[in-house]
Amino acid sequence: MAAYRCSSPVWLFILCSFSVFIIAGSEETPVAQEQHANVPDNPQTAAETAEQTEKETGGAEERRWEGTEVRDAATQKQAEPVVLQSTPRPKDDFQEELVVRPLHSGDIYASFQFRTLWETDFMRGNKVSHYRLFPKSLGQVISKFSVRELHISFTQGYWRTMQWGQPYLPSPPGAELWVWFQDSVTDVDATWKELTNVLSGIFCASLNFIDSTNTVQPSASFKPLGIGNVTDHRFLRYATLPREIVCTENLTPWKKLLPCGSKAGLAVLLKSEKLFHSSFHSQAVHIRPVCQDWQCKTTSWELRQTLNVVFDLHNSGQGKREWSLFKMFSRTLTEACPLASSSKIYIDITDNPEGEHFELSPATSLLSQAMVLGDRRTFSVYDLTQQDTFGSVRSLNLLIRWKSTEGDMLRPLLHAERYVAGYGLQTGEIHTLMYNNHPYRSFPVLLLDSVPWYLRLYIHTLTVTSKGKDNKPSYIHYQPSKDRVRPHLLEMLVQLPPNSVTEVTVQFERALLKWTEYTPDPNHGFYVGSSVISSLVPSTVAMDTNSTQERPLFSSFFPCKEESSYFVRVYTEPLLVNLPTPDFSMPYNVICLTCTVVAVGYGSLYNLLTRSFQIEEPSPGLAKRIANVIRKMRGVPPL
Amino acid sequence: MKTHLLFNLFATFLLADGLNIEDSAGQFFSSGHTNNWAVLVCTSRFWFNYRHVANTLSVYRSVKRLGIPDSHIVLMLADDMACNHRNPKPATVFSHKNMELNVYGDDVEVDYRGYEVTVENFLRVLTGRLPPSTPRSKRLLSDDRSNILIYLTGHGGNGFLKFQDSEEISNVELADAFEQMWQKRRYNELLFIIDTCQGASMYERFYSPNLMALASSQVGEDSLSHQPDLAIGVHLMDRYTFYLLEFLEDIHPASKANMNDLFKVCPKSQCVSTPGHRTDLFLRDPGSVLITDFFGSVRKVEITTEAIDLTEPIKEVEERPANGDVHKEMHSYVDQLPVSEIIHQKPKQKDWHPPDGFILGLWTLILLVFFQTYGIKHLRHIF
């Protein structure tokens, strides 16, 4: 009996374990296939072959999935055929690159660019909810505020064009924000105010100080950098905060927007202690719609995060003309970001074709040429997605060692300066100088000046002179300021004659602010934002006009429409002016003085008038007082 | 037989486990709070007030280390010391001389900085009356089960605290703000620490329940700074916060240290001033209040024995490409500097506004004079 009872549970057990084994065995293979399908996604070295293998494995997976379905129809629900097709091709792509350019003054310029491309439509009805490489905070900002283009930059330091040449991505000192809205926005100013508040929370910056007193609407500058055909400037807003400080608290949220964060790839080099101990540091975020391919039939959203830094020879370089990744960033590279489809380092060796000026180690055989800033430059390329770049030590520390200090720099073709002339605290004059260093070509520049309302410009004193003669601008747009509401906006299209200096001067008068409008440190002065000079500068070589995407990132930022010139934007210095500042200790001093006068003057007079005098006997000595007490007790009159 | 035995064992185990769960659930609800917030404010501007920023950043560092996330910390620094041009080591703020400890770190998020640190913004953060477009990181989104730590440092006097050398907050305003918070149920318990001269005067006027306050000096005493660093050139920390930081460095998230230990921080021999504290408005006994109730964010985990079914696969909705979109137009980039277009640009149409002010008055005057001269009935001869 016991044996009989024991056998049936044993059979049941064997059957159960067998069915479990079958199920486990069949479930393993689809999981393995899925993992295999995901691996070719990430470094997409050859897009087509990867796609093909994907489809194949997806097809095989599909077949296998259907096989298990037949067996386990009871436990699993019917899946729709649409989902069972090959795993969808990921629609977003991430690339990172670092360009290192040695400068003639011994400094070194490093420019990081991180680009995420995403084929999606934020403006359609259904909300985007699955974010993979594109950061969710920015995606929500784009869809909520109907943003067509967003450009924000935080810069510490001033770019010295004459010593360093032109930057790949220009930016003014402080914070700068300019946004193109979609034409579906009805109230642009209210949307702009909300957008600045939201961005101030995302980037930990005081962008909420952007309001109507420092926002302008340029009429010809700042055309959209992305694709589009409508350029109604009613949807453009531009603001700059020259006083804005950039520090680690702005870098931290910026790094968090990257897909790999600061854990892998080029972003591990971004350590704040080294980045802020530099002559120039600028980080920016640019969002715009771009063409997906050379045919340009569909658009995708591009997010570029750029970081430009110039390390000083004496501060960070300790005077020795030898730069390495470890010396610049106190880190070396160990791997590329696994989510990146391309991860490259470019070193500019145009001035060093035979290796006579500096030596680069570890040596690399990859070379690349790119048309950037009107010149054909040669670069040594390090591809971080290849394992052999890292060598046997598994870490890459590029070293650039100088052998000779010769060589001079080509003068940049366009350069600008600005300063305040005059004396005293009542009037002054703003001078803007634009240098055209081309020997025989002249080119037009568009100058945008936004001056705060408390410097009252006298536009009738505006003069534009080149080589001593008057140079009439072909286009002037001036919007006068309104006290406490709007700043001045001056836009001019000036033709710069070859090899000349053009000077734009305008006189102003300083206003007296209300005492509550002064900052807590008014004796520091008040800032006037940089002027922006946009120009099409003639290039020495023919520029590449077809907008394919195989170009390195640093050469494909500004769209190029013609071959003979390239677009450049130059920012001048911000100005610092002193306004007539009242003495803030005045109320305290007045109260002290008034109270003293009242107490001494009026008090004495009051006493004199109201005091009455009485004659009083001097008090007798102690013995007499005791005697008087005894006499009083006896009832005898006192002494 | 064996199955019966197994079943009994299993049942007793479940029962014991159940009792344990109830016990821990009871402990979970005894401390009263479910989340932690911190509002850390430095109110001084200028380079020579480096120590106030270092004070605030030390408390920020401890609070972050003990578990409160950045989203629950409102950090207000009135001036930037780390990237100040006078700082010989940029992006660092040191609390110990010889540059031992960088309290600024690599992962700091400052919510209010520079000119944004004003009395008005501070009170708005506390009471929650912020403009609607304020981002979440700048708000104190506490509820009635939140324990809040408020730390203020700067220059102060008898009954006031100076903000940015241009305005003050008085102890009456602060007490009223806390009362507003109590009435709006914005805190469960609040710990207020202040490190300024005559700091005890700031908590004299509190009258809302569940407030505990600590100050670095009594009325009539000055709080002194700790030590200068000759390379940086300024005093790095205030004494009270220096010893508070040393005390907090020994606390870890599972620590059982309580408020009585916190009251003993920085006695008169180390601080020169007499730190004070106030616990009469606090309902619990300070000896039973853990340091991590305010400085840390200890999450209590409740273990459940139910099973959740996760076998159903998540279906990703495939975006169907829009049909009939075969012929898409070619997009192109915009010309960056279209010179001919700009020169021939028509002036943009400005929106018409009705005349106001002076123009309106002038026209009214002209019309009045006109009608006065000519009279209404003669107008038909003119027109």
Side-chain angles (χ1 to χ4, degrees), chain A residues 546-560:
Chain A
N546 61 341
S547 48
T548 55
Q549 285 185 353
E550 279 104 44
R551 289 194 291 180
L553 294 175
F554 60 87
S555 62
S556 60
F557 186 64
F558 287 114
C560 203

Side-chain angles (χ1 to χ4, degrees), chain A residues 197 243-245 247 249 561, chain B residues 83 104 113 115 133 333:
Chain A
N197 276 323
R243 188 79 197 266
E244 191 67 20
I245 309 155
C247 208
E249 66 247 24
K561 286 254 168 164
Chain B
C83 289
Y104 195 57
R113 58 185 201 158
Y115 298 128
S133 53
Y333 285 99

Side-chain angles (χ1 to χ4, degrees), chain B residues 135-371:
Chain B
R136 281 181 74 101
S137 57
K138 287 186 165 175
R139 286 180 189 257
L140 180 64
L141 299 165
S142 57
D143 52 24
D144 63 324
R145 294 273 121 230
S146 308
N147 273 12
I148 307 183
L149 165 72
I150 298 186
Y151 177 81
L152 291 174
T153 182
H155 289 289
N158 190 353
F160 67 92
L161 170 62
K162 204 163 65 150
F163 265 70
Q164 297 218 37
D165 206 22
S166 66
E167 48 180 2
E168 301 101 31
I169 183 172
S170 65
N171 48 6
V172 177
E173 279 177 355
L174 197 58
D176 286 342
F178 287 153
E179 176 64 15
Q180 259 198 59
M181 286 175 77
W182 174 251
Q183 291 194 1
K184 286 176 164 177
R185 299 285 177 265
R186 279 171 69 79
Y187 69 89
N188 173 37
E189 284 168 351
L190 200 143
L191 175 63
F192 175 77
I193 305 184
I194 183 160
D195 186 354
T196 63
C197 302
Q198 308 193 48
S201 61
M202 289 304 284
Y203 61 64
E204 272 174 0
R205 301 293 191 110
F206 288 173
Y207 55 94
S208 320
N210 272 344
L211 291 178
M212 194 180 332
L214 278 110
S216 60
S217 55
Q218 301 292 334
V219 175
E221 285 178 351
D222 285 339
S223 289
L224 301 178
S225 59
H226 185 63
Q227 50 179 311
D229 181 303
L230 295 175
I232 299 177
V234 283
H235 285 259
L236 293 181
M237 284 272 269
D238 279 332
R239 283 175 189 251
Y240 182 72
T241 313
F242 183 82
Y243 291 107
L244 180 69
L245 174 68
E246 273 192 9
F247 171 75
L248 288 174
E249 288 286 299
D250 290 331
I251 306 284
H252 54 88
S255 155
K256 295 287 170 204
N258 57 37
M259 282 296 157
N260 285 333
D261 304 324
L262 191 62
F263 296 153
K264 292 197 206 99
V265 162
C266 208
K268 196 171 161 91
S269 54
Q270 284 177 325
C271 252
V272 185
S273 57
T274 320
H277 55 90
R278 179 175 176 180
T279 53
D280 56 320
L281 293 166
F282 206 74
L283 295 178
R284 286 195 288 157
D285 169 41
S288 70
V289 180
L290 299 175
I291 299 281
T292 51
D293 276 354
F294 287 103
F295 284 89
S297 177
V298 182
R299 308 284 169 82
K300 297 185 174 73
V301 178
E302 188 183 309
I303 304 172
T304 171
T305 52
E306 341 174 329
I308 299 170
D309 188 17
L310 288 172
T311 51
E312 193 171 307
I314 299 169
K315 299 183 187 56
E316 185 176 331
V317 176
E318 177 83 25
E319 275 182 34
R320 297 184 184 279
N323 301 322
D325 232 358
V326 182
H327 258 301
K328 295 186 208 158
E329 74 282 7
M330 255 198 60
H331 299 280
S332 61
Y333 285 99
V334 179
D335 208 357
Q336 289 298 305
L337 195 68
V339 178
S340 49
E341 238 184 75
I342 291 173
I343 293 176
H344 302 251
Q345 201 165 333
K346 283 203 226 4
K348 64 171 167 52
Q349 303 284 53
K350 270 181 28 173
D351 304 328
W352 182 78
H353 294 289
D356 61 344
F358 175 70
I359 304 291
L360 193 67
L362 187 67
W363 276 106
T364 318
L365 186 68
I366 291 171
L367 283 171
L368 263 172
V369 169
F370 185 76
F371 285 129

Side-chain angles (χ1 to χ4, degrees), chain A residues 301-357:
Chain A
W301 285 91
E302 178 195 76
L303 164 70
R304 273 193 202 226
Q305 286 179 254
T306 64
L307 196 140
N308 291 345
V309 61
V310 173
F311 291 105
D312 188 51
L313 173 67
H314 301 285
N315 259 337
S316 323
Q318 286 120 34
K320 256 195 343 179
R321 206 157 169 196
E322 179 188 304
W323 290 103
S324 70
L325 280 186
F326 189 77
K327 196 171 179 190
M328 290 196 278
F329 304 108
S330 69
R331 289 284 184 286
T332 58
L333 290 167
T334 50
E335 56 165 350
C337 173
L339 298 168
S341 63
S342 106
S343 177
K344 295 201 169 86
I345 301 185
Y346 293 85
I347 316 278
D348 189 340
I349 55 167
T350 320
D351 300 324
N352 191 38
E354 310 300 323
E356 68 269 14
H357 291 300

Side-chain angles (χ1 to χ4, degrees), chain A residues 140-288:
Chain A
Q140 289 180 327
V141 163
I142 297 173
S143 51
K144 178 160 185 223
F145 298 109
S146 307
V147 167
R148 183 172 144 198
E149 272 193 35
L150 188 140
H151 301 270
I152 183 167
S153 74
F154 297 97
T155 311
Q156 175 212 63
Y158 175 65
W159 182 268
R160 298 174 199 289
T161 315
M162 289 308 272
Q163 290 161 309
W164 299 340
Q166 293 281 5
Y168 295 121
L169 285 133
S171 52
E176 185 203 38
L177 170 67
W178 57 281
V179 175
W180 274 91
F181 290 96
Q182 303 275 355
D183 15 357
S184 56
V185 174
T186 44
D187 189 355
V188 182
D189 287 316
T191 321
W192 169 252
K193 189 82 188 93
E194 282 186 36
L195 176 65
T196 51
N197 276 323
V198 167
L199 288 174
S200 85
I202 294 178
F203 291 106
C204 284
S206 41
L207 296 174
N208 45 329
F209 283 125
I210 292 178
D211 54 6
S212 64
T213 58
N214 47 23
T215 308
V216 291
Q217 188 184 318
S219 64
S221 310
F222 290 103
K223 294 261 184 253
L225 286 170
I227 58 177
N229 36 17
V230 179
T231 55
D232 188 354
H233 280 259
R234 273 189 302 134
F235 297 104
L236 167 65
R237 291 290 184 271
Y238 172 82
T240 169
L241 290 172
R243 188 79 197 266
E244 191 67 20
I245 309 155
V246 187
C247 208
T248 312
E249 66 247 24
N250 304 110
L251 187 63
T252 309
W254 189 92
K255 283 198 284 193
K256 287 186 181 163
L257 296 173
L258 296 170
C260 281
S262 53
K263 310 263 187 310
L266 289 170
V268 297
L269 298 175
L270 302 175
K271 289 292 154 198
S272 56
E273 285 189 18
K274 284 289 191 176
L275 282 179
F276 290 103
H277 197 48
S278 55
S279 311
F280 178 82
H281 169 95
S282 167
Q283 62 199 54
V285 171
H286 300 277
I287 302 177
R288 57 178 180 163

